[in-house]
């Protein structure tokens, strides 16, 4: 009887084990990937990248490095319209010619209008599921590094709305970037003036700032306070530029002098904060410049030697 009992139990155990061995593992969540690629101008290509975080495909213009062998990467962010409005580095500057002979991959995402290029806490009726920090600091770099022969050294630069965002991204993902540049941007704090400045840009697009980092003064705003978290930029190359708002020879096209004057005040204040922390930064305070693409192009050229040294371009 005991033998039969043990035999029965052994058979049951083997049956359970066999059934468990046939259970299929859960399917892995999809990762970021290249959905499509096509040439557009010379070496430049359009790279369509699927973002799992936003469950959408993001268009990116890429100028691959000119030299042979591994090259670093610079991520260029555009202004408040996200480049989908036809206003961008690609559309309004000599970026193709300037980087034509340089051994660096230049990546220019399209999208993210009024999003501050951050991860929103809550989906918004206007900006949708915005997880731009995740996309820019994790998903897109993983695809770029896999598609191109990269060194793993990166810089991020932004203009106008995305100037402060570039600084924030460098703070949030300190291991991703060795250099950061803000051209006529406004690195923000979570004080009333900073909250008002950021909120005004989001509201301009019809979105709700509360869906971004929660109510004013909430933990989300504190986490993205550039002044509060500026120490995380230690060891990086930081380039900050802005102008007085007074139109001058540096300009090209219609500008926004009041916006530039505000950017100058923000930029100077943030440069001062870095100085208090003993963090060296290149700070350019131009006497003339009215928030135009002529000014932004000039500052991109001026900043490049600093960024290039930091990333080994």
């Amino acid at each position: 009887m005991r033998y039969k009992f043990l035999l029965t139990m052994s058979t049951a155990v083997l049956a359970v084990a066999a059934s468990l061995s046939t259970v299929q593992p859960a399917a892995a969540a999809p990762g970021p990937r290249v959905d499509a690629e096509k040439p557009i101008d010379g070496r430049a290509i359009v790279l369509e990248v699927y973002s799992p975080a936003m469950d959408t495909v993001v268009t990116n213009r890429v100028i691959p490095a000119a030299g042979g062998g591994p090259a670093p990467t610079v991520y260029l962010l555009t202004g408040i319209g996200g480049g989908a409005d036809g206003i961008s580095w690609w559309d309004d500057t000599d970026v193709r010619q300037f980087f034509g002979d340089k051994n660096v991959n230049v990546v220019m995402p399209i999208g993210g209008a009024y999003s501050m290029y951050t991860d929103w806490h809550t989906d918004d009726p206007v900006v949708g599921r915005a997880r731009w920090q995740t996309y820019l600091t994790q998903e897109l770099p993983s695809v770029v590094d896999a598609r191109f022969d990269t060194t793993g050294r990166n810089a991020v630069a932004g203009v106008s709305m995305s100037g402060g965002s570039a600084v924030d991204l460098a703070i949030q993902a300190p291991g991703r970037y060795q250099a950061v540049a803000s051209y006529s941007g406004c690195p923000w704090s979570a004080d009333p003036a900073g909250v008002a400045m950021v909120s005004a840009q989001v509201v301009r697009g019809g979105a709700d700032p509360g869906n971004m980092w929660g109510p004013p003064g909430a933990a989300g705003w504190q986490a993205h306070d550039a002044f509060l978290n500026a120490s995380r930029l230690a060891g990086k190359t930081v380039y900050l530029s802005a102008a007085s708002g007074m139109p001058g020879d540096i300009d090209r096209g219609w500008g926004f002098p009041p916006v530039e004057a505000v950017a100058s005040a923000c930029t100077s204040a943030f440069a001062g904060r870095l100085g208090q922390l003993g963090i060296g930064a290149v700070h350019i305070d131009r006497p003339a410049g009215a928030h135009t693409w002529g000014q932004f192009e000039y500052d991109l050229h001026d900043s490049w030697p600093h960024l290039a040294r930091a990333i080994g371009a």
Side-chain angles (χ1 to χ4, degrees):
M1 289 290 293
R2 183 179 180 185
Y3 173 77
K4 289 183 178 180
F5 174 76
L6 291 174
L7 181 61
T8 301
M9 288 297 294
S10 297
T11 302
V13 169
L14 289 172
V16 171
S19 68
L20 290 175
S21 69
T22 61
V23 175
Q24 298 297 316
R33 65 178 184 270
V34 175
D35 256 24
E37 178 180 326
K38 65 179 181 181
I40 48 175
D41 182 24
R43 293 196 324 277
I45 62 173
V46 163
L47 209 61
E48 304 282 356
V49 175
Y50 173 70
S51 164
M54 295 190 283
D55 192 24
T56 192
V57 174
V58 179
T59 300
N60 309 267
R61 297 186 182 103
V62 181
I63 304 171
T73 305
V74 59
Y75 294 88
L76 285 182
L77 310 180
T78 192
I80 199 165
D85 53 1
I87 302 172
S88 70
W89 293 106
W90 180 268
D91 298 297
D92 297 284
T93 73
D94 67 350
V95 67
R96 282 164 280 182
Q97 294 75 27
F98 181 70
F99 286 106
D101 61 349
K102 294 174 175 57
N103 191 38
V104 63
N105 302 296
V106 182
V107 181
M108 296 166 280
I110 301 174
Y114 310 104
S115 71
M116 306 306 293
Y117 288 113
T118 190
D119 283 0
W120 286 46
H121 287 185
T122 305
D123 292 355
D124 185 88
V126 173
V127 302
R129 175 160 295 177
R131 303 291 186 273
W132 285 96
Q133 177 182 312
T134 297
Y135 178 72
L136 293 168
T137 65
Q138 299 176 36
E139 295 175 342
L140 181 58
S142 71
V143 168
V144 169
D145 289 346
R147 168 62 180 80
F148 302 97
D149 189 8
T150 68
T151 63
R153 296 185 69 80
N154 307 287
V156 60
V159 61
S160 194
M161 179 198 80
S162 67
S165 300
V167 171
D168 183 49
L169 291 170
I171 289 172
Q172 300 301 323
R176 176 61 69 188
Y177 311 106
Q178 287 71 49
V180 57
S182 170
Y183 313 116
S184 299
C186 195
W188 54 76
S189 69
D191 65 8
V195 170
M197 185 276 298
V198 172
S199 297
Q201 295 179 78
V202 173
V203 169
R204 179 181 168 188
D208 181 354
N211 289 333
M212 185 168 64
W213 295 322
W221 288 84
Q222 300 296 323
H224 293 276
D225 184 323
F227 286 74
L228 184 64
N229 299 291
S231 61
R232 297 185 196 172
L233 295 175
K236 300 184 187 304
T237 292
V238 181
Y239 181 97
L240 306 168
S241 64
S244 66
M246 183 71 65
D249 293 340
I250 198 172
D251 293 310
R252 185 175 66 243
W254 188 48
F256 300 89
V259 173
E260 189 62 28
V262 171
S264 178
C266 292
T267 300
S268 294
F270 190 65
R273 172 59 177 157
L274 293 178
Q276 292 173 352
L277 296 172
I279 299 173
V282 179
H283 175 215
I284 307 298
D285 188 13
R286 302 196 184 283
H291 212 75
T292 67
W293 281 99
Q295 176 192 336
F296 306 151
E297 178 183 278
Y298 188 94
D299 283 341
L300 173 63
H301 291 196
D302 187 63
S303 69
W304 178 242
H306 304 282
L307 303 182
R309 280 194 295 272
I311 62 177

